[in-house]
Amino acid sequence: MEQKAWKPWALLAPSLSAVLFLLVIPVCFIIVYSFWLRAPTGADIPAFQFGNYQRFFADFFYPSILIRTIRVALETVALCLLMGYIPAYFFYRTESRHKSIFLILIMLPFWISFIIRTLSWINILGDTGLLNHVLLRMGIISEPLGLLYNEGAVLMGLIQYLLPFMILNVYVSLEGIDRSLVEAARSLGSTEWQAFREVVLPLSLPGVSAGCLLVFVLTAGTYLPPMILGGPGNDMIANLIFKRVIGTLDWPFGSAISVILLGILGTIVYTYNRYLGINQIFKTFQ
Amino acid sequence: MKPLLTGWNLIKVYTFLVYIFMFAPIVAVVILSFNPQQFGSFPMEGFSFRWYIRLAQNDAILMAFKNSMILGALTSIVVTAVAIPAAMAFVRYEFPFKNALNTLLLTPIMIPEVVLGVALLLFIRWLQQPKSFMLLLIGHVVITLPYVLLVVQARLVGIKRVYEEAALTLGANPFQTFWEVTFPLLMPAIFAGMLFSFTISFDDVTATLFWATASNQTVPVKIFGMLRNSISPEINALGTVMIVLTISIPLLAGYLSRRFSKGV
């Protein structure tokens, strides 16, 4: 087949220009904007100064939100791994003919709107929600427990949102393991547990690390669970961006916070890609 | 074999509990939407379609539904039209910076949506354009592009080049070859990509909240607005409609594709 050099570029033109104009240039804009000044009248003044960044690091208020974001993201990663690895392993090892149904079921939440999945926890954890109702009925408690509007509730929402990502990443990686390796280990006298620990677990680590990265990045960039399920003390960095941009219309400061978030996540993703390769994550979406 | 069996049973029970964790809140939304009382909470007393009737009479919600549908449909068409040629370029051609450009087109997956929301809004503001339906559309195209690209690319890798070469040898021009050979073979991926992008667009709230206006609301944005005065059975009813809609589409598509593939 003859190949003309311009052809691939013509085919790429629409998608490249879309990403260039709608993603790359806008992101450059928030970087530029983060150095601007905001006049007391609310107008934005072009400038080159670091006041917005200084303001972020001036006292402990904003950095503590940043630290909380990282802590909550790490907690979510740990809980997703704890809750996700075993089901993924179950999908890998099960010989049930309903395996595809199990898999479809765990994928279903992907198709349900994030906001509905988040607010659905109010029905479970609220003062008149399912848990309090059951506990009151059983006489275990005499007054509703305040289960909502704290970090625990935020974590519930985050896990429900991100667990399928973790399970799928781990499962894809498990499914790539040659089953004869496990059989070989077993026939050479190892127990099932040893075969898991020495063969399956190490080979599944690429999926585990890809899942962890994805869950971390998605948690650090979300504001909905803290906003709906959290209290005033549970705001994360994305909530801060939302409040500055939508609430007080402070564009330069909102841009500076966005740049800080993007810088931290970018560093993490870059480092990960450098040492482990990022393609594992994209594999999952196929 | 005995101790292994108990371990396996524990794994099964654990998996079952994870399923309960994932589905209990969603099931609660569906059940409580039939609660006739003013405050949607347990215990339930009775069963009624009262809140669904209220929904059907709410013009603002119907309007949001219409917006979401149109937006989702347009997004899926535009993004597929953009993604197919890009996938062709990556799979069928060699050119400089290929890997870097492929990664660039997939980056929207890794950029936090909140940053995407702010960035695009800021850009539009600098261009002195008002927030509009167009902003929602181009925003959703960027959000969904990587997913559709991945799906189409994966399928295209599996389509052997010999089919295209045969057509070219037999005298078809490249355009005919694509249209009559590659495109039909690509159909399942295109269909899956459109479905995927429709659902992502229909469900998106994180970035959409930055771009929507009072006159251009989607259903999730509307739900967000309604949440301000705590959760009501009406929200549960609206949630149930969304759940049924977004779940039935992929299930139906899966069923249809299996039927069609059996028929061939």
Side-chain angles (χ1 to χ4, degrees), chain B residues 116-129:
Chain B
L116 208 65
V118 174
L120 197 52
L121 188 56
L122 193 65
F123 186 51
I124 289 292
R125 211 172 86 103
W126 181 79
L127 292 173
Q128 299 190 327
Q129 296 295 313

Side-chain angles (χ1 to χ4, degrees), chain B:
Chain B
M1 277 319 261
K2 202 81 187 157
L4 159 72
L5 266 174
T6 54
W8 183 240
N9 280 338
L10 274 177
I11 290 176
K12 272 195 205 163
V13 171
Y14 194 98
T15 306
F16 182 70
L17 290 177
V18 169
Y19 272 104
I20 292 188
F21 175 87
M22 292 300 288
F23 285 98
I26 297 164
V27 172
V29 167
V30 176
I31 293 174
L32 285 174
S33 69
F34 296 107
N35 194 342
Q37 287 162 313
Q38 187 68 41
F39 304 104
S41 59
F42 292 100
M44 265 192 50
E45 281 161 28
F47 178 94
S48 93
F49 286 101
R50 177 180 166 196
W51 301 106
Y52 289 91
I53 296 165
R54 266 276 285 269
L55 274 185
Q57 291 163 343
N58 188 331
D59 285 335
I61 287 173
L62 293 180
M63 195 63 203
F65 250 104
K66 200 179 132 200
N67 276 336
S68 281
M69 287 288 195
I70 297 173
L71 180 61
L74 285 177
T75 302
S76 65
I77 293 168
V78 173
V79 78
T80 313
V82 170
I84 293 172
M88 285 291 288
F90 285 125
V91 179
R92 291 284 188 261
Y93 294 89
E94 287 303 325
F95 51 92
F97 309 116
K98 187 166 145 174
N99 283 334
L101 288 174
N102 203 346
T103 307
L104 175 70
L105 289 192
L106 297 177
T107 42
I109 291 185
M110 298 306 286
I111 292 193
E113 256 184 61
V114 56
V115 174
L116 208 65
V118 174
L120 197 52
L121 188 56
L122 193 65
F123 186 51
I124 289 292
R125 211 172 86 103
W126 181 79
L127 292 173
Q128 299 190 327
Q129 296 295 313
K131 285 188 193 180
S132 64
F133 184 81
M134 199 61 194
L135 173 62
L136 287 174
L137 179 60
I138 58 176
H140 283 198
V141 167
V142 174
I143 292 174
T144 52
L145 179 63
Y147 299 97
V148 180
L149 188 62
L150 281 170
V151 171
V152 177
Q153 242 172 284
R155 167 88 189 170
L156 200 55
V157 171
I159 297 175
K160 289 194 190 110
R161 209 181 282 216
V162 284
Y163 298 125
E164 290 162 21
E165 280 162 356
L168 287 169
T169 326
L170 291 170
N173 65 38
F175 185 73
Q176 281 174 317
T177 307
F178 173 77
W179 201 242
E180 308 211 355
V181 177
T182 318
F183 189 75
L185 287 170
L186 212 49
M187 228 29 214
I190 294 172
F191 189 61
M194 287 182 82
L195 209 69
F196 207 13
S197 50
F198 177 88
T199 320
I200 294 172
S201 160
F202 195 83
D203 286 344
D204 185 79
V205 58
T206 307
T208 309
L209 269 176
F210 283 93
W211 303 330
T213 59
S215 58
N216 272 319
Q217 289 198 331
T218 63
V219 182
V221 173
K222 187 79 203 156
I223 293 176
F224 182 83
M226 287 164 75
L227 258 181
R228 238 168 264 166
N229 12 326
S230 95
I231 191 161
S232 69
E234 203 176 359
I235 294 182
N236 283 326
L238 186 52
T240 305
V241 174
M242 289 273 287
I243 291 170
V244 170
L245 207 84
T246 47
I247 282 189
S248 63
I249 292 174
L251 290 186
L252 190 74
Y255 171 75
L256 284 179
S257 73
R258 236 170 296 150
R259 263 197 79 161
F260 281 130
S261 61
K262 264 180 204 154
V264 170

Side-chain angles (χ1 to χ4, degrees), chain A residues 3 11 15 21-23 29 44 82 90-91 102 105 111 113 116 120 123 128 160 192 221 223-224 251 265, chain B residues 4 14 19 22-23 25 29 32 41-42 82 85-86 92 112 114 116 122 125-126 142 199 203 206 236 242 246:
Chain A
Q3 287 218 352
L11 291 169
S15 48
F21 284 107
L22 305 176
L23 183 79
F29 254 80
D44 306 328
L82 196 69
F90 170 78
F91 297 140
F102 294 147
L105 268 180
W111 299 88
S113 177
I116 292 167
S120 69
N123 292 324
T128 55
Q160 222 237 358
E192 187 74 14
Y223 59 81
L224 216 52
W251 290 92
L265 294 183
Chain B
L4 159 72
Y14 194 98
Y19 272 104
M22 292 300 288
F23 285 98
V29 167
L32 285 174
S41 59
F42 292 100
V82 170
R92 291 284 188 261
V114 56
L116 208 65
L122 193 65
R125 211 172 86 103
W126 181 79
V142 174
T199 320
D203 286 344
T206 307
N236 283 326
M242 289 273 287
T246 47

